[in-house]
Amino acid sequence: MTAFPVSPNTVLANALSCAEDVLAPRIRTVRPERIVFVVGTQINGVPHLGTSLVQSLTFATAARTRQRFGIPVEVTFGALDNAPHEIVVDPTTGHRYQRAYAQALGEAALAAQVDELYRPLFEALSERLSIPYSIGMYSRQQADEHFRRTWLRAHRRIDAARWWLDPAHGTPHVRVPCPQSGCGWAEKYAERTHVLLGDDHAVVHAVCLHHGPYEVVIAPDGGGYLDLATLYRNLVKELAAIADRERLSVMVKGGDWIFGSVLVDNALAAIGLTAGQLPTRLFCPQVVTDTGAKLSKSLIREGRAKLPAGSAPWMLDTRMWPGSLSEYADRLFEMAAVLLSDPRHFFRSYSAGELGRLMSAPTRSVTTP
């Protein structure tokens, strides 16, 4: 039996009988024919414990929701291949340029990377709970006609939402990489990128690090690669999902997304959505260090933070788990059952050391007043 944590009460936990209660208001209002749990991650390296935790909780919560409401469920994994692969500074202008994984490696190489690093665990989780799943690359999502039409409509209202999507500057970044063969560079902060909207398309003017000014047309059925800043991308993604009246999309995220989602919701309200139309989200426990900061592979890799006490190397690279993939999936589900056994256990953060304990040492369940 897996160890249980000691968890204090909170306002949210006190209002719930179980974690999936947070989904009940929308499910009972919408009465969907199907529920899709959408979980995404940047595929800019090997999976870490936080990634596996959210993915296993996605499947486990989907199974509990299916049992409780009698509605078919499925899981969609969004592979964000638009994460920066390399960033350089133009010595002439001082502007930062980035080349995303999609442009640097190509679709075939990235699909192979997903198959190697992510699909095996998804297969194991899916098989254990008999929940179907699909994997969608952002490269394909941004090329989808519905996604592009959604962006074109949203961008017409960008003045109403821009300070929510970019509170520091009021300019939500739209990046369209240079279309020259083999290039793919784009200004990271899109300082010299301008979007001119037509009746059913947009013309994007930008400046390349190597090729100077260029122009790209973004149309529903084709055109350049549409890369949006994180908050803006989520606004468009969630707007597109809301349009499906038969399926309820539940956006599953790590706890670090709570603060950013407040901005996205205000941006959605600014462009005209009502409270009942806002996205349905589930925020999973966040993995933190001894200082309370999010466990960060990049900070540890750069030497700016240490591997926390009680943690292990496999937590930053799940391929190093000292056992089989089947055992790893089983341990994750055992831990998911513990976290979902009480809202107090679910809606909180965990140190890496505590999660390591939960994956190994049995004890009794404890909650505090």
Side-chain angles (χ1 to χ4, degrees):
M1 182 175 177
T2 304
F4 277 78
V6 177
S7 299
N9 198 8
T10 64
V11 172
L12 177 59
N14 197 46
L16 307 176
S17 297
C18 55
E20 61 269 23
D21 278 341
V22 297
L23 308 177
R26 189 57 57 86
I27 293 174
R28 296 186 184 284
T29 300
V30 175
R31 300 187 181 278
E33 295 182 6
R34 195 169 195 85
I35 302 176
V36 184
F37 288 77
V38 183
V39 58
T41 191
Q42 290 189 336
I43 52 173
N44 56 351
V46 297
H48 56 85
L49 176 59
T51 303
S52 296
L53 176 65
V54 173
Q55 291 171 351
S56 59
L57 285 171
T58 299
F59 277 93
T61 306
R64 290 168 64 98
T65 302
R66 177 181 59 190
Q67 180 178 16
R68 176 175 174 181
F69 295 99
I71 301 173
V73 297
E74 61 188 79
V75 171
T76 295
F77 173 55
L80 300 175
D81 55 5
N82 62 329
H85 181 267
E86 48 192 328
I87 298 175
V88 299
V89 177
D90 182 354
T92 303
T93 65
H95 292 179
R96 295 165 69 86
Y97 280 82
Q98 73 174 45
R99 200 164 183 243
Y101 274 76
Q103 283 72 48
L105 302 184
E107 185 174 339
L110 289 170
Q113 180 175 310
V114 169
D115 286 344
E116 176 186 356
L117 298 178
Y118 294 93
R119 191 180 292 276
L121 180 59
F122 268 81
E123 289 284 353
L125 299 176
S126 172
E127 180 180 358
R128 279 162 174 74
L129 296 181
S130 298
I131 294 177
Y133 78 95
S134 61
I135 293 179
M137 309 290 284
Y138 177 75
S139 288
R140 295 191 177 183
Q141 183 183 45
Q142 63 83 30
D144 177 75
E145 180 177 348
H146 177 54
F147 185 91
R148 291 189 166 215
R149 288 191 184 280
T150 302
W151 172 71
L152 287 168
R153 288 195 298 270
H155 203 73
R156 295 187 188 279
R157 302 294 309 279
I158 198 63
D159 283 345
R162 65 191 185 97
W163 285 106
W164 291 113
L165 296 176
D166 183 15
H169 306 99
T171 308
H173 306 142
V174 177
R175 289 182 291 261
V176 177
C178 176
Q180 291 282 346
S181 178
C183 186
W185 287 93
E187 276 190 324
K188 182 172 179 59
Y189 300 115
E191 296 96 333
R192 294 174 292 180
T193 298
H194 303 283
V195 180
L196 302 178
L197 291 171
D199 292 338
D200 197 30
H201 70 281
V203 180
V204 180
H205 298 269
V207 181
C208 175
L209 173 65
H210 301 294
H211 301 101
Y214 62 93
E215 178 183 296
V216 178
V217 174
I218 302 292
D221 58 352
Y225 186 99
L226 180 63
D227 183 13
L228 305 173
T230 303
L231 295 179
Y232 197 5
R233 182 188 68 238
N234 274 263
L235 177 138
V236 176
K237 178 185 73 173
E238 292 174 340
L239 271 176
I242 291 169
D244 191 335
R245 303 298 184 185
E246 297 180 354
R247 302 196 310 175
L248 173 65
S249 292
V250 176
M251 304 301 174
V252 186
K253 298 178 179 293
D256 57 313
W257 253 99
I258 292 175
F259 308 109
S261 292
V262 172
L263 293 175
V264 176
D265 281 347
N266 277 283
L268 289 167
I271 65 174
L273 267 67
T274 65
Q277 295 173 311
L278 293 177
T280 305
R281 302 194 187 97
L282 179 69
F283 297 103
C284 294
Q286 185 178 355
V287 187
V288 299
T289 66
D290 298 338
T291 69
K294 177 183 175 181
L295 182 67
S296 169
K297 289 188 303 180
S298 58
L299 290 182
I300 294 173
R301 185 170 56 244
E302 295 166 4
R304 298 167 60 190
K306 296 181 179 179
L307 195 64
S311 60
W314 68 264
M315 295 181 178
L316 298 181
D317 182 349
T318 59
R319 297 174 302 178
M320 300 175 66
W321 166 260
S324 67
L325 174 66
S326 178
E327 180 191 33
Y328 183 58
D330 289 340
R331 293 288 184 88
L332 285 171
F333 270 146
E334 289 171 7
M335 184 166 63
V338 169
L339 301 187
L340 286 164
S341 68
D342 191 315
R344 299 184 186 190
H345 298 333
F346 191 88
F347 296 104
R348 52 162 290 188
S349 297
Y350 288 87
S351 69
E354 177 70 353
L355 288 179
R357 187 184 72 82
L358 287 171
M359 293 280 280
S360 59
T363 186
R364 63 190 181 90
S365 176
V366 180
T367 57
T368 60

